[in-house]
Every structure is written in C-alpha cells, then in structure tokens.
C-alpha cells in the first residue's frame, strides 16, 4: 500500500450521521490514527478544539517553545516519503516549525476534510446493545461511532493555580500552554513568571531579552542540561536519511524511544575520572541523553547523585552570584525524577541585571494584587504575569470529558483514586474505547512520536482484526487492568521516581491522587508485550462476536 496516498473517505458532510470511529484530537496521534483508519477503509471523524492541527504544538506558542527531542527523531517514521521529503532546519525544532510540519503532513495526506475544527467533545456514552458510542460536542454535533479513540494528548489541560486576587490584576496574564496566537510583546514591561519547569526554562531567556525586568518566582529548582541547539549539518541529515530505517528500528526497540540508547554500564563501574569525562562529554553533546550516561542513574541513588552533582557544579560555575546560584541548585530530589529540562542559556540569564530570582518556597505567593504579586516577604509591581505552571497531565483532559461506559459508569469517577488501564490503551467497562499514549504506557517518559506510532499501529491492527472476525465488542477486564496497573507501579517503585514531586505522578495538581502514571519498563519491552497480546488473540481482552447480544 502506498503509505502517503490520500485515502478517500465517504464522509457525507452531515454531522449527525453514523460513522465507524471518532477520534478526539488532531495532534500527531489523531492525525496518524485518521490516516490508518482510512487505509482500513473505515470512516473516521476527528474532533479538534483548536482551529488547526498540531495539538501540543498548536497550543504551546510561548516564547522559546521548542521540542526537547531532536527533530530527525521527533517526526513520523511510518512513511518513507514523508521522512525523506521534509527538511528540518535545526537540531531541536521550534514550535512554529513543528506546526508547519504538522500542517504539511495533514495537507499531504488530505486529512483536514475529516477533521471538525473548533469543536470540543463534551460527552461520550456507550450504547451496549448497539455497540456504539454516542458522541456530543459543544457545537451540538452528535456522532454515533463504533469506536472511540482518544488522541487527546498528555499535556493538554493547563494547570492554573487558584491564586487569590487574580481577578483583580490590572495587567495582562498568560498561561504558557494557551499562548495568544498573535504573540506578546513584553518590551518595556515588568514581567513576572511563575514556575521553573521546562516551559519556563525555555521562555525565561527569551522574555528576559525583551522585558524591562523579569522576576522569576521559583518553587522548586530544576536540573537542566544545555541543548546546544543550532542549524542541522546537511551531511548529518543525509547520513540520517540514508540510514533512517535502521535508526528508527533502533529507537523502537530502545529503552526510551531514542536512537541513542541508555548505556548498559553502571556509574560505579568506572573510575571517578572516567565518570566525570563521560558526564563532561554528555554535557557538551547536550540534551536529554545526559540521563543515558549510565544504565543505573534512575534506579540507584548513589549513581544518581554523581550525575546530579555534576549538574549542580555546572550551575555554580555558570551563575555569577553565589546566592542566586545556590537557589538554582536542586538538592532535595534525584536528577531525572522530575522531567529533566534542556535549555538555551537558562542559567546564564540569571547573570543579567534585569532578572531577579525569587524563592517562593521559603516565602510563598500569598496573593495576586491589582498591580502585581505579593509573597509572604515582599510585594512585586508587575505589568504582566506568565503562568508557566504546567498541566493536569495525562488524565486531566480525559476526565474533563463526560465519558460513560457500560451501565453509565463514568471514567472520571472510575479514576477518582488514579487511573487504571490495561497497557495504557484500554479501560474495563469502556468497550471499543482506546487511549493513545494513555496512563500506564511509556508515553511521556519516551520519545512521544515513537510511542504514538506504536499505539496507533496497535489500535488499527486491532480494529482490522475486529472487523475481519466480526467482533462487535472488545473490552478488557477489571482483573487485567488491576494487574497491569500494579505492574506499572511495581516497575516505577523499583526506580527513584517516587522521590520527585513530578507531574508524572500528579503531584503538581492539588488534590490529584498521587499515582505514578507512565510505564517505565522501557519502550522496546512494552512494544513486545503489546505485540504478544495481539499475536495471542488479544489476551487480556474479552471479544464478543456480532451475533451475541447482551442478554447472552
Ligand atoms: P511543569 O514541568 O509542571 O512545571 C510547572 C512549574 O510551575 C514548576 O516549576 C512548578 O513548581 C511551578 N508551579 C506550579 N504551581 C505553582 C504554584 N502554585 N506556585 C509556584 N509555582 C508553581 O510544567 P511545564 O509546562 O514547564 O512543563 C511540562 C512539560 O512540557 C515538561 O515536563 C516537558 O515534558 C514538556 P514545582 O516544581 O511543582 O514546585
């Protein structure tokens, strides 16, 4: 089959008709899912709340927004034509370039005619007798579909802390994840930014260049490694493209979905001198590969400490003022147990006269005032406030939609104490329902593109099987999802992840159950498990043939 030939759909244009599948979200997951379902001859419709494709890269338009995965790896691999034709300009792609790429792919595959933009799915309910999902949107659309596939992304519900007084603020405020499309000009302004996660670490150096003064309100300092971003060397790109098939395969079977796999060597198995040389080398190369320096950095505290200490020393070297430097040095959690950041001149930015770091752990923010912000120690006059406060990750968007499975069971109710899934793909009580990169799968702890493609292909192979075998219902069981969720927890528990207050475990959202959500067993191993489940006839799922009614 030609992998990029636009596939004809038979969508009638009416928005109240019966279709095979509804896909929620038109980011990279939803786009590829639509393409695969068309190839199967199924009629699929995508609902997307934005007015364009791109998902994460449609919404996150804050200054400096850039992917932390290298461009040649953060791209679709399913089509040789697409991966050969598209030219990335930089080692790490900036948000506008990724968005152009998403649109280019969508146009090439003629996807947009089956995407209903500016439309949010509010409610979805499974009709057991008809084996169909009834989907309702905020614009009054109703669709009836046999399959419901959530491609809603992991970081798509902005987390805005409920600061007292925000309504009274006379200036402008923004959340990094909902940035105005027309951009923001901070020239001449006193700007406050709350948060020092990845979004803040990317935007702080850019905003500092524009603003009159930038106040950074930091609760927890973060480990960050330089990106060493720059234009891509054409010889390197040629080499990658010549070897793409093999390199992609390496990524698919690796631990984290990257071409460069985690070193099998333990940090303690080399001399102190050799260890420092390896960290030095990785620091110079830059990027998330720093955590792959040794195989036991995320499972052994002593090993982790050597990698953490190297970064702390670099921060102390870069930041001139020793008091500021100490505030920026993370000390109370292991490196990599909150998402490692990669930056372009982040720590150097604190050497600027117009940047002030404010520690809001020791002196918390008390209130937003009409003219700025007050901590327990001081008042700050601000023209604009940027909330770089992250997302209700992985489950937020799924729980915001009123999804009701068999017997009216609500997903948000079922996940009250934390998400339970089988393979991060399926939920008991919710037949014919799939989550792409859902909780319980490697998702955000991997190269998202690799994990998205793996899930999309697994789901489309599954639907092909159901169609061929005339299966009307596929559903996992409570026992299987409990066992898988226990396994996810067990693997995470054997590592150091519990020690970081990360969004991976919901620690950033007050009241959210603290449960570690991504599967940490490795992308390659996870793929093997999923493939085995399919090869053995979808073990862990109950498949019901078309002719068997509920009463049977
Ligand atoms: P993150 O990584 O969740 O960072 C959010 C930041 O906001 C983090 O520094 C938080 O401090 C801080 N925060 C959140 N709430 C508050 C309150 N109430 N007061 C002060 N500071 C607060 O989100 P990002 O958008 O930066 O990155 C998300 C992912 O996108 C990233 O990991 C990459 O995968 C890409 P805390 O650490 O909780 O003390």
């Amino acid at each position: 089959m030609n992998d990029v030939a636009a596939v004809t759909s038979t969508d009638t244009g009416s928005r109240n008709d019966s279709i095979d599948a509804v896909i929620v979200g038109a980011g990279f997951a939803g786009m590829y899912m639509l393409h695969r379902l068309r190839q199967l001859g199924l009629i699929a419709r995508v609902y997307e709340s934005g007015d364009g494709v791109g998902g994460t890269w449609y919404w996150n338009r804050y200054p400096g927004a850039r992917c932390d995965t290298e461009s040649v790896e953060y791209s679709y691999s399913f089509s040789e034509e697409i991966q050969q034709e598209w030219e990335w300009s930089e080692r790490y792609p900036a948000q506008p370039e990724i968005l152009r790429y998403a649109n280019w792919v969508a146009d090439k595959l003629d996807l947009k005619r089956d995407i209903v933009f500016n439309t949010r799915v509010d409610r979805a309910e499974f009709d057991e007798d008809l084996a169909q999902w009834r989907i309702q949107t905020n614009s009054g659309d109703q669709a009836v579909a046999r399959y419901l596939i959530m491609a809603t992304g992991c970081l798509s519900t902005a987390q805005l802390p409920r600061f007292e007084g925000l309504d009274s603020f006379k200036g402008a405020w923004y959340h990094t994840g909902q940035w105005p499309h027309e951009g923001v000009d901070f020239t001449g302004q006193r700007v406050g930014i709350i948060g020092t996660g990845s979004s803040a670490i990317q935007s702080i150096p850019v905003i500092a260049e524009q603003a009159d003064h930038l106040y950074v309100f930091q609760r927890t300092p973060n480990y960050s490694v330089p990106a060493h971003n720059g234009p891509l060397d054409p010889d390197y790109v040629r080499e990658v493209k010549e070897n793409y098939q093999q390199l992609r395969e390496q990524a698919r079977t690796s631990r984290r979905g990257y071409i460069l796999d985690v070193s099998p060597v333990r940090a303690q198995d080399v001399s102190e001198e050799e260890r420092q040389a390896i960290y030095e080398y990785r620091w110079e190369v830059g990027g998330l590969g720093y955590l792959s320096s040794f195989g036991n950095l995320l499972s052994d505290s002593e090993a982790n400490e050597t990698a953490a200490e190297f970064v702390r020393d670099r921060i102390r070297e870069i930041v001139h003022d020793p008091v500021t430097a100490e505030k920026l040095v993370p000390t109370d959690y292991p490196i990599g147990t909150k998402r490692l950041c990669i930056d372009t001149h982040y720590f150097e930015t604190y050497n600027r006269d117009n940047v002030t770091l404010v520690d809001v752990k020791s002196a918390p923010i008390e209130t937003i005032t009409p003219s700025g912000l007050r901590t327990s120690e001081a008042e700050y006059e601000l023209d604009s406030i940027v909330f770089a406060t992250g997302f209700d990750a992985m489950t937020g968007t799924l729980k915001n939609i009123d999804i009701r499975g068999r017997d009216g069971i609500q997903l948000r109710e079922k996940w009250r104490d934390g998400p339970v899934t089988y393979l991060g793909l399926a939920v008991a009580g919710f037949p014919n329902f799939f989550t792409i990169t859902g909780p319980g799968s490697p998702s955000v702890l991997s190269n998202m593109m690799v994990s998205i493609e793996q899930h999309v292909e697994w789901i489309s192979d599954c639907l092909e099987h159901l169609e061929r075998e005339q299966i009307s219902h596929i559903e996992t069981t409570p026992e299987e999802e409990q066992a898988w969720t226990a396994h996810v927890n067990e693997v995470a528990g054997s590592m150091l992840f519990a020690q970081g207050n990360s969004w991976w475990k919901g620690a950033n959202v007050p009241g959210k159950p603290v449960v570690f959500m991504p599967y940490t067993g490795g992308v390659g191993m996870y793929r093997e498990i999923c493939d085995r489940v399919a090869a053995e006839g979808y073990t862990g799922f109950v498949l019901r043939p078309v002719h068997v009614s509920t009463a049977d």
Side-chain angles (χ1 to χ4, degrees):
M1 192 180 319
N2 179 347
D3 51 13
V4 291
V7 186
T8 320
S9 84
T10 48
D11 192 355
T12 59
S14 153
R15 299 294 180 208
N16 294 306
D17 45 3
S18 174
I19 47 184
D20 293 314
V22 158
I23 300 164
V24 189
F28 286 119
M31 286 167 55
Y32 183 32
M33 194 75 241
L34 171 61
H35 180 61
R36 286 289 293 219
L37 294 190
R38 279 185 184 171
Q39 286 181 321
L40 290 181
L42 297 179
I43 299 173
R45 179 182 304 152
V46 181
Y47 287 110
E48 164 57 53
S49 60
D51 71 1
V53 297
T56 292
W57 304 104
Y58 171 91
W59 296 104
N60 282 268
R61 299 177 190 231
Y62 59 84
R66 192 178 285 285
C67 186
D68 285 350
T69 297
E70 298 192 22
S71 51
V72 295
E73 298 196 57
Y74 194 81
S75 48
Y76 285 128
S77 74
F78 70 84
S79 156
E80 182 63 5
E81 191 179 325
I82 285 175
Q83 68 182 5
Q84 291 297 336
E85 242 179 69
W86 178 261
E87 297 287 345
W88 293 105
S89 68
E90 290 181 285
R91 178 179 177 191
Y92 293 100
Q95 175 270 332
E97 188 169 16
I98 307 174
L99 196 56
R100 275 200 302 281
Y101 171 73
N103 276 283
W104 176 78
V105 174
D107 291 339
K108 195 172 180 67
L109 301 177
D110 191 17
L111 298 178
K112 290 178 184 169
R113 68 191 152 85
D114 283 330
I115 304 174
V116 186
F117 291 105
N118 296 310
T119 307
R120 185 180 296 279
V121 169
D122 281 342
R123 186 182 158 102
E125 190 167 13
F126 189 68
D127 181 323
E128 171 124 43
D129 293 334
L130 298 176
Q132 282 181 328
W133 282 94
R134 292 180 187 285
I135 289 107
Q136 272 176 38
T137 72
N138 62 344
S139 63
D141 264 19
Q142 291 198 8
V144 176
R146 286 184 292 140
Y147 308 112
L148 176 60
I149 302 169
M150 307 306 288
T152 39
C154 296
L155 299 165
S156 41
T157 294
Q159 165 63 13
L160 187 70
R162 289 198 190 90
F163 287 116
E164 207 183 291
L166 182 57
D167 289 345
S168 73
F169 183 55
K170 298 243 165 29
W173 63 266
Y174 312 92
H175 188 285
T176 49
Q178 294 172 337
W179 204 258
H181 288 200
E182 62 280 11
V184 179
D185 183 2
F186 290 114
T187 308
Q189 291 194 18
R190 297 158 301 176
V191 181
I193 183 163
I194 302 176
T196 47
S198 184
S199 303
I201 281 178
Q202 290 187 337
S203 55
I204 283 167
V206 183
I207 298 175
E209 281 184 7
Q210 215 178 51
D212 187 44
H213 200 96
L214 177 64
Y215 295 90
V216 178
F217 297 97
Q218 170 188 272
R219 189 164 66 181
T220 310
N222 241 313
Y223 296 94
S224 186
V225 170
H228 297 309
N229 187 37
L232 277 171
D233 172 4
D235 288 339
Y236 168 72
V237 174
R238 194 172 319 112
E239 202 184 312
V240 169
K241 287 191 171 179
E242 277 168 12
N243 297 291
Y244 240 150
Q245 299 230 346
Q246 180 213 322
L247 295 172
R248 299 289 203 182
E249 196 49 32
Q250 258 169 252
R252 287 183 197 116
T253 52
S254 71
R255 201 167 163 78
R256 301 202 187 120
Y258 296 102
I259 295 168
L260 174 73
D261 207 352
V262 181
S263 163
V265 178
R266 297 167 69 248
Q268 296 93 327
D269 288 347
V270 298
S271 69
E272 167 70 15
E273 206 176 28
E274 208 177 324
R275 199 162 50 232
Q276 290 304 308
I278 288 171
Y279 290 141
E280 194 71 55
Y281 168 75
R282 295 281 185 157
W283 182 268
E284 284 312 314
V285 170
L288 296 173
Y290 182 79
L291 279 180
S292 301
S293 302
F294 295 102
N296 61 340
L297 294 184
L298 293 175
S299 56
D300 178 330
S301 297
E302 189 187 58
N304 185 287
E305 185 59 18
T306 64
E309 196 54 24
F310 181 89
V311 176
R312 293 180 195 129
D313 286 345
R314 300 291 80 69
I315 299 171
R316 293 183 180 113
E317 263 171 26
I318 297 169
V319 180
H320 299 161
D321 172 36
V323 176
T324 305
E326 278 321 304
K327 281 189 199 162
L328 287 166
V329 167
T331 50
D332 59 357
Y333 63 98
I335 185 168
T337 60
K338 283 166 86 90
R339 168 63 151 65
L340 179 67
C341 298
I342 72 168
D343 70 274
T344 299
H345 308 314
Y346 171 64
F347 294 115
E348 290 85 343
T349 299
Y350 292 95
N351 296 331
R352 296 175 65 107
D353 291 339
N354 71 332
V355 176
T356 305
L357 180 66
V358 183
D359 174 9
V360 295
K361 185 158 253 170
S362 59
I365 298 170
E366 285 187 337
T367 185
I368 309 283
T369 66
S371 59
L373 177 161
R374 191 168 66 235
T375 70
S376 60
E377 268 178 4
E379 187 136 5
Y380 299 86
E381 298 284 307
L382 303 169
D383 301 304
S384 294
I385 301 176
V386 175
F387 292 92
T389 45
F391 301 87
D392 183 351
M394 303 196 77
T395 53
T397 307
L398 292 167
K399 287 171 81 174
N400 282 344
I401 304 171
D402 184 3
I403 302 172
R404 290 165 192 255
R406 247 182 327 102
D407 306 324
I409 174 178
Q410 244 187 330
L411 188 69
R412 71 168 73 113
E413 189 56 38
K414 174 161 180 161
W415 283 2
R416 180 181 283 271
D417 299 326
V420 274
T421 69
Y422 180 44
L423 302 170
L425 275 164
V427 184
F430 295 79
N432 304 356
F433 172 82
F434 301 91
T435 50
I436 301 179
T437 65
S441 72
S443 70
V444 288
L445 268 182
S446 68
N447 176 350
M448 282 301 280
M449 277 295 198
V450 171
S451 290
I452 283 171
E453 286 193 335
Q454 187 250 333
H455 265 191
V456 167
E457 286 158 16
W458 191 94
I459 293 167
S460 51
D461 289 351
C462 174
L463 298 199
E464 188 176 20
H465 175 84
L466 302 183
E467 296 290 306
R468 194 176 50 238
E469 301 298 322
Q470 298 207 321
I471 306 290
S472 63
H473 295 64
I474 180 168
E475 184 184 346
T476 189
T477 65
E479 294 74 27
E480 285 298 337
E481 65 179 7
Q482 287 300 340
W484 178 255
T485 305
H487 175 62
V488 169
N489 283 314
E490 190 190 329
V491 182
S494 68
M495 303 176 85
L496 302 174
F497 290 111
Q499 297 178 43
N501 282 328
S502 65
W503 56 260
W504 294 325
K505 62 177 194 186
N508 63 324
V509 178
K512 187 167 174 171
V514 175
V515 175
F516 196 83
M517 295 181 283
Y519 179 56
T520 54
V523 162
M525 187 188 289
Y526 174 79
R527 178 184 294 268
E528 277 176 29
I529 296 169
C530 291
D531 287 350
R532 198 166 51 240
V533 164
E536 291 174 357
Y538 295 93
T539 48
F541 290 93
V542 175
L543 276 56
R544 209 188 306 156
V546 169
H547 60 274
V548 180
S549 79
T550 351
D552 291 324

